[in-house]
Amino acid sequence: MEKSLQPSRRVPVHALHLGDRINTSGYDGEILSAVPLAVRSGQNGVAVLFRYGVAVLIGFTAEEEAAFLQKISTRIVGPLSVAEEENAFVEIAAGAEDQISAGGPIALGDMSLPRMLIVADALAKSVALASDERDVTKVFGVIEPFAAELATHGRTRRNRTEILKLVGNALLVQHRVSGRVAVAEKPDALWDRPDLERLYARLEDEYELKERVETLDRKLNVIADTAETLADIIDTRRSLRLEIIVVLLIAIEIATSFYQIFIARGTH
């Protein structure tokens, strides 16, 4: 039998990207769903925790939310200094068709557990993407001055350590973003409730999940290409230094040979 929130016309939904991971195993409380982990908390609240670091809190008061976040703080791996967040409202109209109006509340016929999980899944992916988009934008903010310097002068004044830091930041963001959340995957709740496919499709369109993933992928490709270019610059500089050293060694060897010949002739 499906469990629902207590009857309410307007229910707040708050999604927060708290860290790199949330440990969802061994939770002590009333568990409504195992994957993703959904638990009851407070008077009427339901929290849905995603392993990729997002918590979606449904029907919480401000005090209940603060208490719950404090409770799960030890489960957060790699906590973010500033949590990315997104807010929405669900309006329950008993028996009505599920509707997603642009920029407005999410209208649902009821607040059953499968519907809660689907709404939570869409918001969790949206807030995780927002966090990824922020990280990628930061890397672009570092890369752009470097690219402008190359375009203007044909070379860069940055030393090897600075370039390696750029490469490291680029690769770190690429790895973290590409492995964090599979947005293309549909919620597990749809396996049991395929009739809710339309609801998820509407949420997917509302939050532009597919389009944002495609844009993010293109930016990640640019970051990867930039990291490769930076690595090539380091290799080129190293090769140039080696060539200069070899030439100097040959010059020294030739000079030494001439000197020895000159000395040998001078002794006769």
Side-chain angles (χ1 to χ4, degrees), residues 29-244:
E30 184 182 352
I31 297 176
L32 305 179
S33 167
V35 182
L37 178 64
V39 299
R40 285 198 180 277
S41 182
Q43 186 175 359
N44 296 316
V46 171
V48 186
L49 304 181
F50 295 85
R51 289 175 180 154
Y52 51 81
V54 175
V56 180
L57 310 180
I58 304 171
F60 280 67
T61 65
E63 295 77 13
E64 289 171 343
E65 181 175 305
F68 181 79
L69 292 177
Q70 178 62 35
K71 179 180 178 179
I72 66 168
S73 60
T74 57
R75 293 178 170 271
I76 301 170
V77 179
L80 301 179
S81 55
V82 179
E84 193 74 39
E85 55 186 313
E86 191 158 344
N87 292 285
F89 285 96
V90 171
E91 286 191 353
I92 306 169
E97 184 180 354
D98 300 331
Q99 295 288 341
I100 314 296
S101 56
I106 302 168
L108 300 178
D110 61 63
M111 214 35 185
S112 59
L113 179 59
R115 282 183 168 84
M116 280 193 286
L117 294 179
I118 289 170
V119 170
D121 184 271
L123 278 167
K125 288 173 179 175
S126 179
V127 77
L129 280 172
S131 186
D132 293 342
E133 288 161 351
R134 182 184 62 188
D135 288 345
V136 169
T137 299
K138 286 181 181 178
V139 173
F140 265 83
V142 177
I143 287 174
E144 283 180 8
F146 170 79
E149 191 176 14
L150 283 179
T152 304
H153 305 290
R155 57 187 175 82
T156 176
R157 293 168 293 178
R158 299 171 191 262
N159 59 36
R160 184 171 181 270
T161 301
E162 289 178 315
I163 294 177
L164 283 174
K165 285 182 179 179
L166 279 173
V167 173
N169 286 330
L171 293 177
L172 183 63
V173 167
Q174 185 188 25
H175 174 74
R176 186 168 62 240
V177 171
S178 60
R180 181 134 58 193
V181 50
V183 176
E185 294 181 1
K186 293 185 177 181
D188 291 332
L190 290 179
W191 288 100
D192 298 324
R193 292 291 304 274
D195 57 302
L196 297 179
E197 285 265 7
R198 287 184 64 189
L199 170 62
Y200 181 71
R202 288 170 176 171
L203 287 166
E204 198 173 39
D205 289 341
E206 170 63 18
Y207 292 101
E208 300 178 333
L209 299 183
K210 289 182 179 179
E211 293 82 356
R212 290 165 68 187
V213 167
E214 290 172 358
T215 301
L216 203 56
D217 284 342
R218 286 195 295 270
K219 289 183 176 181
L220 287 175
N221 288 334
V222 172
I223 289 175
D225 291 342
T226 303
E228 186 176 349
T229 301
L230 293 173
D232 289 343
I233 289 174
I234 292 175
D235 290 340
T236 301
R237 284 182 173 180
R238 183 179 299 170
S239 298
L240 180 60
R241 289 194 186 99
L242 288 174
E243 288 174 3
I244 292 173

